[in-house]
Amino acid sequence: MRKFIANWRELRQEFGIRSLLDAFLGAFIFGLIVMAPVYIILIQLLIVFMYKVNTMTILLIVATIFFNTLIYHLLKQALRAKKPEATMLVGKVLNPLLIADNMFLLVAGLIILFVFVPLWLV
Amino acid sequence: MNELVFRYRHAIKYLFIPYLVLLFLLVFPMEYYVQSPGGLSEVEKLIEIEYNDNKEISGTISTTFVMGIPRPTIFMFLTGYFNRYADLMVLPPNYQTYTNQEISQISYQDKFISVNAAIIVAYEAISSIKPEIVIDYAAKTMVFGKAAYLDHYNTIAFGDEFISFKGDGDVVVTTVAAIAGVATTEGPYDFTFKNAAGENYTVAIAKNAETGLFGVTFKNYYLVDQETTYPRYRMTDTNIGGPSGGLLQTLSIYNMLADEDVTRGLKIAGTGTINYDGSVGYIGGVKQKIITAHVNNVDLFFIPYLGDVSYDNYLEAVNVCEAYGIDHEGWLIPVASFQDVLDHLEGLGD
């Protein structure tokens, strides 16, 4: 954890908070443009294939994890493009965050699948 | 942000038009209605009764719902077209003037009426065995349909209760049946309703010159008086509308009140509306309901069979089972009344 915080400080010094926020915003918007139709398709499939609600929910969880991974991928690309001469490996900070985020999304997805979906079907 | 735009400039340029086409397919609505299989909804999660708290119910009783999709997008329409369990049809004429939200509201009103009917039938059935069980209810009339030309369309909501009508010579009537006798001119006449918040309001409605009608449709039903009914019950909010769960709701409520467990450990599902005399009524979407029950591995499926020679839900269900290779022997149970359901379960023994 201490090493991660040190890496994070290094990343902030290297790029500056403004560049980091700009790169994140760009990555989020680009990711959303890609994923919006995917989500609409999956939700419409869920409505037509409601009798396979569990399968469709799993697909939505996978899509959300993919969305998160895509944001991190685009964030890395944006940061590298902003400062090609940067000496720091951005993956050292972003990869642990990506894994933590995806674990959180997986747990949240499973709670939705096993708790909220059965409650919703009343 | 600009770095990403620059990096993906070619993709943006070439995929922009296909992207817009895809979005069009995903949002443009069609004047059709798609019906596809849905799922099972356990009645115990919908209605809770403060009675027999220690009773253990070994099986489950579920209603079967199907997905009715009014005005699907082109993508949903195509998906339904290639789904062998789905049916596509032109949007029914009575739905064409309504928004999708209004269609849902009508469906929820249907559900509300059916739950009240189920409670009445189940409580009355068990009260002959258990005299401490008391059911009290009153006749009501609700707004169930609105024509596009109805005056005060947005003020009058689906489900609002009809209170009174002031007709010719200021004669006030309190039943819908009496309106025709005291409304001989085009109006306008004063209608008084009670809204969902319990407030009365009066609106002046004139008859439409073309049709000669006010443009509001009413439905009579019985509303359970929760204050004087014993035992008390609580209904949770539902996401599933329609009246076709009536029969299975009645069975589940009956089972919550009875001392014995009628489920006998079985996963019971079915369909059919319930009438106040305990008889069962026809439903739609038989194919989708049979498929839903089959994929959910239910042990017994009750379906209306009223002995009609031209059409019957049961006969249609048998045809569906044969078409999709489902063995219906001992699984698909035809019933004409709630008593038939009880008799069948009784006949299963232990």
Side-chain angles (χ1 to χ4, degrees):
Chain A
M1 189 67 189
R2 209 174 288 167
K3 197 176 169 193
F4 173 78
I5 292 168
N7 286 336
W8 166 247
R9 284 199 181 124
E10 195 185 333
L11 182 79
R12 213 174 51 182
Q13 273 184 346
E14 180 87 53
F15 292 95
I17 203 82
R18 202 182 165 89
S19 284
L20 283 172
L21 282 175
D22 181 66
F24 176 77
L25 187 69
F28 183 78
I29 291 172
F30 265 68
L32 198 62
I33 289 169
V34 173
M35 291 305 291
V38 175
Y39 276 117
I40 298 172
I41 286 170
L42 285 176
I43 287 166
Q44 293 191 359
L45 283 175
L46 171 69
I47 293 168
V48 178
F49 291 91
M50 184 55 83
Y51 58 102
K52 293 188 173 175
V53 63
N54 289 343
T55 310
M56 300 312 299
T57 309
I58 290 167
L59 284 178
L60 277 166
I61 296 166
V62 171
T64 306
I65 290 171
F66 178 76
F67 181 26
N68 188 46
T69 310
L70 182 65
I71 290 173
Y72 275 92
H73 174 72
L74 292 169
L75 178 58
K76 279 186 213 169
Q77 284 192 339
L79 289 175
R80 284 184 195 129
K82 269 185 189 300
K83 204 170 180 184
E85 72 282 8
T87 53
M88 195 209 168
L89 291 170
V90 291
K92 277 204 292 189
V93 175
L94 297 186
N95 288 350
L97 274 178
L98 170 65
I99 292 166
D101 274 3
N102 280 348
M103 290 302 287
F104 170 77
L105 289 173
L106 183 65
V107 171
L110 291 175
I111 291 171
I112 289 170
L113 180 64
F114 292 114
V115 179
F116 290 102
V117 169
L119 283 178
W120 177 62
L121 293 179
V122 171
Chain B
M1 174 103 180
N2 290 339
E3 298 78 16
L4 289 174
V5 174
F6 180 76
R7 186 183 170 94
Y8 292 106
R9 64 190 182 282
H10 295 301
I12 292 169
K13 191 171 145 190
Y14 293 118
L15 292 178
F16 184 66
I17 300 292
Y19 189 85
L20 289 183
V21 171
L22 178 63
L23 284 185
F24 176 76
L25 295 177
L26 293 174
V27 298
F28 189 79
M30 298 178 76
E31 285 297 300
Y32 278 85
Y33 190 82
V34 177
Q35 196 156 262
S36 64
L40 299 183
S41 174
E42 276 185 47
V43 184
E44 261 189 62
K45 291 178 183 167
L46 174 74
I47 300 157
E48 219 174 273
I49 299 179
E50 295 167 10
Y51 193 73
N52 265 351
D53 288 341
N54 297 326
K55 180 179 174 181
E56 275 193 25
I57 297 174
S58 53
T60 59
I61 300 172
S62 306
T63 58
T64 315
F65 68 90
V66 299
M67 296 302 290
I69 309 160
R71 298 187 185 89
T73 63
I74 297 173
F75 176 76
M76 287 168 106
F77 180 84
L78 291 172
T79 311
Y81 183 81
F82 290 109
N83 180 350
R84 69 190 191 116
Y85 300 141
D87 282 333
L88 307 176
M89 57 203 94
V90 175
L91 195 67
N94 54 331
Y95 280 1
Q96 282 172 7
T97 57
Y98 294 136
T99 63
N100 285 4
Q101 197 190 359
E102 287 174 327
I103 293 170
S104 292
Q105 285 173 352
I106 294 168
S107 176
Y108 290 133
Q109 297 306 333
D110 256 335
K111 177 83 169 191
F112 176 74
I113 292 172
S114 92
V115 169
N116 274 276
I119 288 166
I120 291 167
V121 174
Y123 272 60
E124 282 187 342
I126 201 79
S127 65
S128 58
I129 307 164
K130 294 181 161 191
E132 77 267 24
I133 289 175
V134 179
I135 180 77
D136 197 8
Y137 51 90
K140 300 277 178 186
T141 304
M142 71 156 69
V143 174
F144 202 73
K146 297 190 285 182
Y149 56 77
L150 171 67
D151 295 338
H152 307 283
Y153 189 97
N154 293 325
T155 309
I156 302 165
F158 291 102
D160 282 359
E161 186 187 334
F162 168 77
I163 301 294
S164 64
F165 174 85
K166 194 191 275 185
D168 300 329
D170 287 347
V171 174
V172 175
V173 294
T174 54
T175 61
V176 171
I179 290 177
V182 292
T184 52
T185 70
E186 277 193 6
Y189 293 97
D190 284 348
F191 281 79
T192 301
F193 298 101
K194 186 189 274 184
N195 63 22
E199 296 157 352
N200 284 7
Y201 65 93
T202 301
V203 284
I205 304 175
K207 287 181 185 173
N208 179 262
E210 255 179 56
T211 62
L213 300 168
F214 288 109
V216 58
T217 312
F218 296 103
K219 192 163 191 168
N220 294 320
Y221 71 106
Y222 288 109
L223 179 69
V224 175
D225 184 344
Q226 296 214 41
E227 294 301 315
T228 49
T229 290
Y230 176 81
R232 301 287 283 270
Y233 68 90
R234 197 173 64 83
M235 189 182 159
T236 51
D237 288 339
T238 175
N239 294 306
I240 299 160
S244 66
L247 175 64
L248 273 291
Q249 287 157 12
T250 309
L251 178 63
S252 182
I253 296 163
Y254 180 90
N255 195 41
M256 289 179 218
L257 298 170
D259 288 334
E260 59 160 347
D261 177 15
V262 301
T263 66
R264 292 174 166 77
L266 297 170
K267 188 174 183 180
I268 299 169
T271 186
T273 62
I274 190 80
N275 300 318
Y276 295 105
D277 62 357
S279 62
V280 175
Y282 284 143
I283 50 89
V286 170
K287 178 170 125 186
Q288 287 75 23
K289 284 177 177 162
I290 291 292
I291 300 294
T292 302
H294 179 64
V295 298
N296 282 284
N297 300 314
V298 305
D299 297 315
L300 285 178
F301 190 83
F302 292 106
I303 190 154
Y305 180 46
L306 309 185
D308 194 322
V309 286
S310 56
Y311 171 81
D312 210 296
N313 279 166
Y314 173 66
L315 300 178
E316 190 186 348
V318 169
N319 289 337
V320 170
C321 287
E322 283 167 2
Y324 290 91
I326 300 167
D327 180 14
H328 59 83
E329 284 299 322
W331 175 76
L332 191 66
I333 314 297
V335 288
S337 67
F338 173 58
Q339 191 57 48
D340 287 353
V341 176
L342 293 179
D343 292 345
H344 181 86
L345 292 171
E346 183 79 37
L348 293 176
D350 294 325

